[in-house]
Amino acid sequence: MNYENFFKDKVESVKQEGRYRVFAHLERQVGKFPKALLHHDNGTTQEVTIWCSNDYLGMGQNPKVIEAVRETAAKMGAGAGGTRNISGTNILHKRVEESLADLHNKEAALVFSSGYVANEGALSTLAALMPGCIIFSDELNHASMIHGMRSSKQAKRIFRHNDVAHLETLLKEAPADVPKIVAFESVYSMEGDISPLEEIIALAKEYNAFTYLDEVHAVGLYGPRGAGVAAQRGIADQIDLIEGTFGKAYGLMGGYIASSKAVVDAVRCYASGFIFTTSLPPSTLAGILASVEHLKMSDIERQRAFQNAKYMKAQLEKAGLPYMKGESHIVPLLIGDARCCKAVTDQLLERFNIYVQPINYPTVPRGTERMRLTATAAHRKEDIDTLIDALLVLWQENHISQYAVA
């Protein structure tokens, strides 16, 4: 077998489908977000406006966060020194976990190296520890959750997205005496919608199922003190486990779970993704703590982000552009063709200095290709107006209406 040619052919097939991903070499500059410098291979740079960032509140450039990172790196060094179990647990881990338990009003919390690792580690462990467990999963759950379910080697039942009636049908079919986990998200990042939390929780209680809620796109941004959608709706106490991230609204990196002491301790003792991964460095933990504590007190960033999202949706509506009308701050703009989606995002960058990545298969189903737009707290109305004007030009030039179905 010619291995080189085999893998070249695999990559070429992705290119032919129009979904080959090209990384942009961006240089974020403190104080200028959502502007950034795009570095080209010929050595030149181009200032662009970022429209696909998960740094929803601009906390990655918050002065308190930056100073906490700087001071801690100077004091404690650059690296963690190992895994949490050997030599990588820092006093800041304890402080961050205490802060998270307080945020979610849970008994305990546990920090992971990423949100992906948190989901994979927690879901796989909890399900595997319970003999005969069945996991009930929303069909649009994140890849990290799906990875965790597969790793558990337990049975899985998939219910249609946000379809409570279908979930109930599946729960009814399951034996009453087996352990059950209902795994779902609050904010779905590619759809921009929010799950019917109250109905799902009620069903889980009726059928004695453990509730596992991924709030990665909500923590920091929704609810009192940024505790998420469940807290916003006053039902966080009815969720058995909340999973979150520091890589989005908190502006850094890492993930976590918050739950009872028994559940958190079980994950800590058994999850391979936790046990064998080098822990976050002290400087990152210090930045996380500064960000979480700041957003417990400050609503300014949240208000700006939601005002910008509302304004952008209104302008898209006025322009007649087919966005997916969810409740959240995330605004998916439908195109419906991979090549066209790539062409439009390329033209936005080349002609209008607007950076947004195309979202293609396998992230979303074929025929639903889209741009995932996020108006952060740092964007201005003028930025939004510029984006809408550019989209209108490209929509007409590329005849996108023939592909897109709202």
Side-chain angles (χ1 to χ4, degrees):
M1 181 176 185
N2 188 313
Y3 296 105
E4 284 295 308
N5 287 342
F6 175 83
F7 291 115
K8 283 180 182 178
D9 289 345
K10 287 294 182 183
V11 172
E12 186 59 32
S13 69
V14 175
K15 291 181 178 179
Q16 290 299 318
E17 291 179 34
R19 58 185 184 89
Y20 181 74
R21 300 172 190 264
V22 178
F23 293 147
H25 300 136
L26 295 171
E27 180 185 351
R28 285 163 58 105
Q29 298 177 297
V30 173
K32 292 188 176 182
F33 183 72
K35 306 289 184 183
L37 286 180
L38 173 66
H39 287 256
H40 298 288
D41 291 340
N42 62 7
T44 62
T45 59
Q46 169 190 1
E47 187 176 71
V48 299
T49 303
I50 301 173
W51 276 103
C52 52
S53 176
N54 286 337
D55 190 357
Y56 300 132
L57 301 178
M59 292 302 294
Q61 301 200 8
N62 182 283
K64 291 181 183 177
V65 173
I66 293 172
E67 189 58 28
V69 171
R70 181 186 292 118
E71 285 184 357
T72 305
K75 180 181 178 182
M76 299 186 185
T83 65
R84 289 284 302 272
N85 280 4
I86 298 177
S87 61
T89 294
N90 186 280
I91 183 61
L92 288 167
H93 280 101
K94 180 175 185 291
R95 292 171 185 166
V96 169
E97 287 164 353
E98 289 173 344
S99 178
L100 294 169
D102 167 71
L103 175 68
H104 294 293
N105 196 27
K106 299 293 186 187
E107 290 182 343
L110 189 67
V111 169
F112 290 77
S113 57
S114 74
Y116 191 107
V117 174
N119 264 336
E120 192 282 328
L123 259 177
S124 63
T125 298
L126 293 173
L129 288 175
M130 295 186 286
C133 180
I134 301 174
I135 308 170
F136 298 83
S137 171
D138 187 289
E139 66 178 337
L140 295 186
N141 277 340
H142 191 263
S144 57
M145 300 174 77
I146 295 168
H147 187 175
M149 295 173 210
R150 287 175 178 165
S151 297
S152 76
K153 296 182 172 59
Q154 299 284 33
K156 179 173 69 172
R157 304 287 184 269
I158 300 172
F159 60 93
R160 290 185 292 272
H161 179 53
N162 285 345
D163 190 331
V164 178
H166 189 213
L167 171 60
E168 182 168 22
T169 297
L170 296 176
L171 286 166
K172 281 181 179 178
E173 292 172 352
D177 58 346
V178 302
K180 304 173 185 70
I181 296 175
V182 177
F184 62 110
E185 302 181 32
S186 57
V187 178
Y188 284 86
S189 65
M190 293 301 153
E191 310 300 306
D193 58 359
I194 296 176
S195 63
L197 275 74
E198 294 88 347
E199 292 90 336
I200 292 175
I201 292 168
L203 274 180
K205 284 184 174 295
E206 182 179 348
Y207 290 92
N208 192 27
F210 183 98
T211 45
Y212 185 108
L213 178 63
D214 177 315
E215 290 247 49
V216 296
H217 289 278
V219 290
L221 185 53
Y222 291 78
R225 305 194 301 161
V229 175
Q232 183 182 58
R233 297 185 179 182
I235 53 176
D237 61 323
Q238 299 176 51
I239 300 290
D240 292 304
L241 183 148
I242 293 172
E243 187 265 349
T245 185
F246 309 117
K248 296 177 174 53
Y250 289 121
L252 290 114
M253 68 171 294
Y256 68 90
I257 60 169
S259 187
S260 68
K261 288 181 180 178
V263 169
V264 169
D265 212 20
V267 173
R268 184 182 70 85
C269 291
Y270 286 93
S272 295
F274 174 82
I275 295 169
F276 297 106
T277 301
T278 298
S279 67
L280 294 174
S283 56
T284 299
L285 292 165
I288 288 167
L289 185 60
S291 185
V292 171
E293 289 297 316
H294 174 82
L295 290 174
K296 284 182 180 180
M297 303 296 294
S298 176
D299 261 335
I300 296 171
E301 296 85 359
R302 286 188 278 272
Q303 290 172 3
R304 286 177 183 162
F306 285 120
Q307 287 167 2
N308 282 341
K310 182 179 180 181
Y311 180 74
M312 181 166 68
K313 289 180 181 181
Q315 297 309 106
L316 287 168
E317 191 77 39
K318 184 178 177 181
L321 293 169
Y323 71 97
M324 298 172 72
K325 297 173 176 60
E327 303 171 63
S328 81
H329 61 289
I330 298 168
V331 185
L333 186 63
L334 282 168
I335 291 182
D337 178 83
R339 291 185 182 86
C340 186
C341 195
K342 180 68 166 61
V344 170
T345 54
D346 285 347
Q347 290 173 59
L348 281 171
L349 187 61
E350 293 164 9
R351 294 168 54 185
F352 300 98
N353 301 317
I354 290 171
Y355 174 71
V356 56
Q357 276 286 4
I359 306 296
N360 297 324
Y361 178 84
T363 306
V364 296
R366 288 185 174 92
T368 69
E369 290 81 4
R370 67 200 66 172
M371 288 182 282
R372 176 185 176 276
L373 304 173
T374 53
T376 72
H379 284 90
R380 304 167 302 161
K381 281 190 175 181
E382 302 94 288
D383 296 323
I384 298 170
D385 292 337
T386 298
L387 171 68
I388 302 299
D389 290 343
L391 287 171
L392 277 172
V393 170
L394 296 178
W395 222 259
Q396 294 168 359
E397 289 181 359
N398 292 274
H399 307 291
I400 299 174
S401 58
Q402 67 180 300
Y403 305 113
V405 179

